[in-house]
Amino acid sequence: MKDFFARQEDARRQSGRLLMFFAMAVIGVALAVYLAAAVARLWLLAENGAAVGFWHPQLFLWTTTGTLTFVAAASLWKISELREGGARIAAMLGGKPVPTFTQAPQERMLRNVVEEMAIASGMPPPDLYLLERERGINAFAAGHGVRDAVICVTRGAVELLSRDELQGVVAHEFSHIRNGDVLLNLRLMGWLSGILVVSQAGEMILRGMRRSSGRTAGAIFAVAAALFAIGYIGYFFGQLIKSAVSRQREFLGDASAVQFTRNPTGLSGALKKIGGLSLGSRLEHPRAAEVSHMFFGNGLEAAWLHALDSHPPLDERIRRLEPGFDGRFPAVKPLPPPPSEAAAHVVRPAKAPPESVSALSGVAVAALLERVGEPMQEHIDLARRLLSELPESLTDASRNTFSACAVVYGLLMDADPAVRKEQEQLVEAHDSGAAAVELRRLLPALDGIPSQVRLPLLDLSLPALRSLSPDQYLRLKETSGALSAADGRESLFEFTLRYLLLRHLEPRFFPLTSPRPVQIYGIRGVRKECSCILTTMARVGVRDENAAQGAFARGAMVLNEPKLDFHFLPAVECGKSSMEHAFAILESTSPLIKRRLLAASLECMIHDRIIKIDEVELFRAIADALDCPLPPWLDLSRGESGVTH
Amino acid sequence: MMQLSEELTSTENRVAFARQAFNDSVTSYNTACEVFPASLIAGSFGFVRAGLLEIEAAEREAPRVSFT
């Protein structure tokens, strides 16, 4: 038996030969077109009685180069059309991203397996997606290269395979990425459709000249019919070759998987389970056919002709790994069907929170965090601890679309019982009685949580809130506005919360036409807005005006623009509307300005060595407005600075 | 406990795979140096044989963990 290196070499050589055949097929199409044209020419000239040869260099040059450019242009166009990022394909098939720090044991295992294979194959770990609704055992890799690759695994594979078997499957997909199979397949598909265009051209000509007659028309008719036939014949052979290439790449993938895992039984076990499972590797998603060539096992029903299968038969694949295989597949009990669409909708946002934990790594923020001298891992641990300390009723509520609205209302509740009474009535009036009841149920738990987790709780609720209907969203927007204005003034927390809420949900319901481009590159143009932000920040930290000016001066110094003066603005000029205005303008500044402004705000905040929760919340809002999402727990790991409420 | 054993397995695997990936690269490099046309000039340009990363059998053993 050949070892896996020799088998890889075989598969590479085979697919290289097949690719040569494919190129020959394309050239063959061009030659056939010349042949058709030459015959038509002979026929036309024969009428005049002139003796002409079959060989006509000029005609040959024109038809072959014409056909080849035509095919090449069509295929390039098709390739650029097919060139979708891996993430989009994964999303198209209903894939759900698996977060880096997932807690679910099976997702954790999958994540680990992928990272191990990344080490074994010497590639960066690709993004990982889970097809939650697919019960068959399958997986695929997509993306054009190592850098934007994704790996997608079905739920059936994760739940039915053992760890070793899953590892074999993942290793196989890694091999597809490393050997550039995805791109190869994309190109072959492009060229195939290029060949098909030849026959489409023939068809178009045929249609266009249905009513004309005469000898010339007859010749054109014949050529068009020939084009039509040539295109289809070429397409058929191209398809045959492409399937053969695809099968060779599968063998290559299997052999490389053994190289990466050094464990052929894992991979062969997975293949056997596919054979034993009644669903096999089939996919249920309606659009699976478009990407069937990328899968670990056959994603569709077997083709009518084995030569057209994109994957080699299972027992042949197993026999290459395990020569003694007797062809008997173990029976595997299929998974129960996934929950209905509506139930899945409620469950899915529940998985999202860990994602917000892993989204900490904005470059600017990392730099800022370094300035404060706090390692990232601590934040993550802290975040986990904070979240685990939240009462279960609240974490549950934040995952449910209906209760999440009540959570938002609850966060906006005033401490004063009289105002609170009024606010409850507002909820009833603007939203519904049921929402008020839910609010009353959650209030005791909400009052019990420490103030630094109030905004994180909002973050947790966002995924659920995204699945509101537009009507419900408008109601939430209106009610929360009324609530925050209930006591006659809008506190900073209320402003921050509403700002974050609307900022994250508004685009979901009323999409912007396009993301705002960077328009402002100099800090001079946004002097006033910067001053507004820094003044507000400075004022929040301290009560007395002098200290605020001191903090402001420190912040302005960090902006490091000696030629410009930033003015400490009177309180009237930094109201809610001017803040919102400043945020809107600063959003379109260049990343460099954003970064400096963030650093300056941070300096304002830590100027007096006491960090208040209000300051942190405002800082989060600023960071968010500048598109630099920030971990909410910035202050908490700094025990010595203390958190004052 | 399940999670701990999963993390242990994963860590063991990562170490083993890193060593294996290194050794595979070394082997393919060494082979490339010795195959005919390259072998004539490889030595004179300073491409010398690279050594494999060998680990004692005792170190290869996974540490035992018992939950008592």
Side-chain angles (χ1 to χ4, degrees):
Chain A
M1 182 190 160
K2 287 177 176 169
D3 76 346
F4 49 83
F5 284 118
R7 289 207 309 271
Q8 285 182 40
E9 199 45 48
D10 267 6
R12 283 214 179 86
R13 210 177 10 235
Q14 287 283 356
S15 53
R17 236 187 29 220
L18 288 166
L19 286 182
M20 221 166 66
F21 284 145
F22 194 87
M24 273 157 60
V26 174
I27 294 171
V29 166
L31 289 180
V33 171
Y34 164 70
L35 222 61
V39 170
R41 177 173 161 272
L42 276 184
W43 190 57
L44 272 182
L45 294 180
E47 192 191 20
N48 303 342
V52 280
F54 193 66
W55 176 242
H56 190 276
Q58 215 177 350
L59 184 67
F60 175 77
L61 212 67
W62 277 111
T63 51
T64 46
T65 50
T67 317
L68 286 180
T69 24
F70 197 53
V71 170
S75 58
L76 285 181
W77 185 75
K78 183 78 183 171
I79 288 171
S80 73
E81 200 188 54
L82 288 171
R83 237 187 136 92
E84 281 187 2
R88 273 184 59 192
I89 296 174
M92 180 186 97
L93 291 175
K96 186 204 77 170
V98 179
T100 323
F101 299 102
T102 175
Q103 286 301 313
Q106 278 178 329
E107 291 184 10
R108 184 80 225 147
M109 181 177 86
L110 178 62
R111 187 92 228 171
N112 278 339
V113 164
V114 168
E115 283 169 14
E116 286 161 22
M117 281 305 108
I119 294 175
S121 61
M123 293 190 330
D127 287 342
L128 180 58
Y129 287 81
L130 188 63
L131 294 177
E132 274 192 318
R133 305 185 63 79
E134 299 288 352
R135 294 183 292 148
I137 299 175
N138 218 331
F140 75 87
H144 328 122
V146 171
R147 268 185 305 173
D148 70 339
V150 303
I151 281 190
C152 212
V153 182
T154 62
R155 190 168 64 95
V158 177
E159 297 199 0
L160 294 173
L161 298 181
S162 73
R163 194 177 198 285
D164 283 352
E165 289 160 353
L166 186 63
Q167 198 158 42
V169 173
V170 170
H172 175 100
E173 298 308 323
F174 264 89
S175 148
H176 279 320
I177 299 175
R178 198 171 83 153
N179 292 318
D181 295 353
V182 181
L183 201 60
L184 178 71
N185 227 306
L186 189 84
R187 293 201 176 123
L188 287 183
M189 265 172 22
W191 281 98
L192 266 183
S193 66
I195 295 179
L196 200 60
V197 162
V198 171
S199 81
Q200 280 162 356
E203 202 182 336
M204 250 153 64
I205 299 173
L206 282 182
R207 271 209 201 132
M209 50 172 297
R210 214 176 279 157
R211 257 165 289 149
S212 44
S213 56
R215 208 174 161 86
T216 322
I220 295 178
F221 184 86
V223 170
L227 280 181
F228 184 72
I230 290 166
Y232 265 109
I233 294 170
Y235 181 75
F236 176 73
F237 279 102
Q239 188 79 51
L240 279 186
I241 297 170
K242 173 175 163 277
S243 304
V245 172
S246 167
R247 288 196 298 272
Q248 285 303 326
R249 301 313 271 198
E250 292 303 320
F251 283 133
L252 174 62
D254 284 350
S256 312
V258 178
Q259 184 204 335
F260 296 153
T261 59
R262 296 289 151 90
N263 179 9
T265 50
L267 187 60
S268 64
L271 290 168
K272 280 181 202 164
K273 279 194 180 164
I274 291 179
L277 182 65
S278 56
L279 280 166
S281 53
R282 227 169 313 133
L283 291 163
E284 287 156 16
H285 199 279
R287 298 186 67 180
E290 294 171 34
V291 284
S292 64
H293 55 276
M294 298 189 291
F295 280 95
F296 173 71
N298 242 341
L300 306 166
E301 307 266 354
W304 55 276
L305 184 64
H306 280 308
L308 285 173
D309 274 339
S310 59
H311 289 67
L314 278 180
D315 49 347
E316 195 184 339
R317 282 173 78 179
I318 299 175
R319 219 161 268 139
R320 290 208 184 182
L321 299 165
E322 218 176 279
F325 178 59
D326 57 0
R328 269 201 301 244
F329 295 107
V332 181
K333 218 175 117 229
L335 289 173
S340 68
E341 195 66 49
H345 228 75
V346 182
V347 175
R348 217 167 280 155
K351 296 272 167 56
E355 217 181 337
S356 58
V357 175
S358 66
L360 307 178
S361 52
V363 177
V365 175
L368 281 173
L369 290 179
E370 267 170 23
R371 282 176 51 92
V372 196
E374 290 160 323
M376 300 289 280
Q377 190 57 41
E378 255 174 70
H379 293 291
I380 297 163
D381 294 345
L382 223 116
R384 277 197 196 143
R385 215 193 65 219
L386 277 180
L387 293 183
S388 65
E389 279 172 5
L390 272 179
E392 205 161 315
S393 62
L394 285 185
T395 36
D396 283 349
S398 68
R399 286 166 189 178
N400 176 304
T401 309
F402 173 67
S403 311
C405 291
V407 169
V408 172
Y409 301 150
L411 287 171
L412 287 169
M413 282 288 152
D414 207 272
D416 181 2
V419 181
R420 197 169 262 215
K421 197 89 203 136
E422 199 181 313
Q423 283 177 316
E424 277 177 24
Q425 279 161 2
L426 278 173
V427 171
E428 231 161 298
H430 286 277
D431 200 313
S432 61
V437 171
E438 181 70 9
L439 171 64
R440 254 172 245 133
R441 185 179 74 83
L442 294 173
L443 263 181
L446 274 170
D447 284 336
I449 62 171
S451 49
Q452 64 265 29
V453 290
R454 286 188 301 179
L455 281 186
L457 185 60
L458 174 71
D459 283 348
L460 279 186
S461 313
L462 285 175
L465 291 175
R466 287 206 182 98
S467 42
L468 285 173
S469 74
D471 280 353
Q472 287 169 321
Y473 167 68
L474 285 178
R475 223 180 302 150
L476 172 72
K477 187 174 165 183
E478 192 192 308
T479 315
S480 60
L483 286 184
S484 62
D487 55 353
R489 60 179 197 91
E490 193 170 31
S491 75
L492 189 68
F493 173 74
E494 287 163 347
F495 166 74
T496 314
L497 186 130
R498 281 250 308 154
Y499 179 77
L500 291 176
L501 182 73
L502 298 187
R503 187 176 148 76
H504 285 286
L505 293 181
E506 193 87 17
R508 168 93 195 169
F509 298 101
F510 307 102
L512 301 169
T513 39
S514 62
R516 201 168 293 194
V518 174
Q519 287 164 332
I520 303 167
Y521 292 92
I523 209 161
R524 182 184 292 273
V526 288
R527 206 174 51 203
K528 181 130 184 286
E529 285 72 22
C530 288
S531 303
C532 174
I533 302 267
L534 291 186
T535 310
T536 315
M537 194 76 206
R539 239 194 223 114
V540 171
V542 287
R543 283 282 159 253
D544 111 73
E545 201 73 350
N546 277 338
Q549 276 194 17
F552 177 83
R554 285 291 296 272
M557 223 164 72
V558 172
L559 279 180
N560 200 13
E561 284 289 338
K563 284 197 211 112
L564 300 175
D565 19 307
F566 297 93
H567 296 291
F568 185 71
L569 301 170
V572 228
E573 284 183 42
C574 331
K576 182 186 156 220
S577 55
S578 26
M579 279 295 273
E580 267 171 0
H581 177 71
F583 280 166
I585 290 191
L586 289 169
E587 207 184 331
S588 55
T589 53
S590 71
L592 210 65
I593 297 184
K594 286 180 180 172
R595 197 187 145 157
R596 279 162 65 192
L597 182 60
L598 268 186
S601 321
L602 191 65
E603 185 64 37
C604 274
M605 178 167 111
I606 60 174
H607 168 64
D608 53 2
R609 306 274 151 235
I610 299 170
I611 300 172
K612 289 189 190 140
I613 194 71
D614 286 357
E615 292 181 292
V616 177
E617 280 164 357
L618 177 64
F619 187 62
R620 279 203 76 209
I622 296 175
D624 204 277
L626 300 180
D627 282 325
C628 310
L630 188 79
W633 19 87
L634 188 70
D635 52 337
L636 293 168
S637 54
R638 284 167 52 104
E640 72 272 19
S641 65
V643 180
T644 30
H645 296 273
Chain B
M1 202 177 89
M2 284 281 286
Q3 280 188 27
L4 178 64
S5 76
E6 160 63 25
E7 292 304 318
L8 281 176
T9 316
S10 178
T11 311
E12 286 295 324
N13 280 348
R14 280 167 210 244
V15 175
F17 285 138
R19 188 175 61 82
Q20 171 194 305
F22 177 82
N23 283 349
D24 281 351
S25 311
V26 167
T27 314
S28 75
Y29 161 79
N30 282 344
T31 318
C33 285
E34 283 164 17
V35 169
F36 167 60
S39 62
L40 297 179
I41 52 168
S44 50
F45 282 99
F47 291 101
V48 289
R49 276 191 71 88
L52 295 176
L53 185 65
E54 309 269 5
I55 290 181
E56 298 294 314
E59 287 176 39
R60 234 182 262 190
E61 285 286 304
R64 296 236 163 269
V65 181
S66 64
F67 303 99
T68 42

